[in-house]
Amino acid sequence: MTQAVSGWVEAGRNPFGLYFRRPDVDALARVFAGQVLEKEGPSIKPWGMYEFAVNGPDCVLVRIGWPARTV
């Protein structure tokens, strides 16, 4: 775990990210429609996850995905 030092995190230059493992990827992509970073929406990534990404607070990258073999 990495802890932020006060004043170190700048919006737009945030090194942190979150990953939510959820089986309901498509349903959540619909909830976040218009905010999904990938134009094609959720897709199978080379690392084997079916996922999509959105920008969170302070430009934290938020990915939501589930192992592709179970999609």
Side-chain angles (χ1 to χ4, degrees), residues 3-4 6 8 24 30 35 39 44-45 47-48 50 53 56 60 67:
Q3 295 186 2
S6 181
W8 183 63
D24 53 346
R30 287 190 295 275
Q35 299 176 48
K39 292 179 185 176
I44 298 174
K45 304 299 183 190
W47 45 90
Y50 179 67
V60 172

Side-chain angles (χ1 to χ4, degrees), residues 8-70:
W8 183 63
V9 175
E10 300 175 29
R13 296 179 48 110
N14 195 329
F16 296 102
L18 298 170
Y19 200 102
F20 293 99
R21 290 175 55 106
R22 296 283 307 246
D24 53 346
V25 174
D26 289 320
L28 288 168
R30 287 190 295 275
V31 170
F32 290 102
Q35 299 176 48
V36 176
L37 298 177
E38 302 94 338
K39 292 179 185 176
E40 72 277 2
S43 62
I44 298 174
K45 304 299 183 190
W47 45 90
M49 297 297 283
Y50 179 67
E51 66 181 49
F52 68 95
V54 297
N55 275 326
D58 292 328
C59 294
V60 172
L61 180 64
V62 179
R63 293 189 181 276
I64 300 168
W66 196 250
R69 66 184 176 277
T70 62

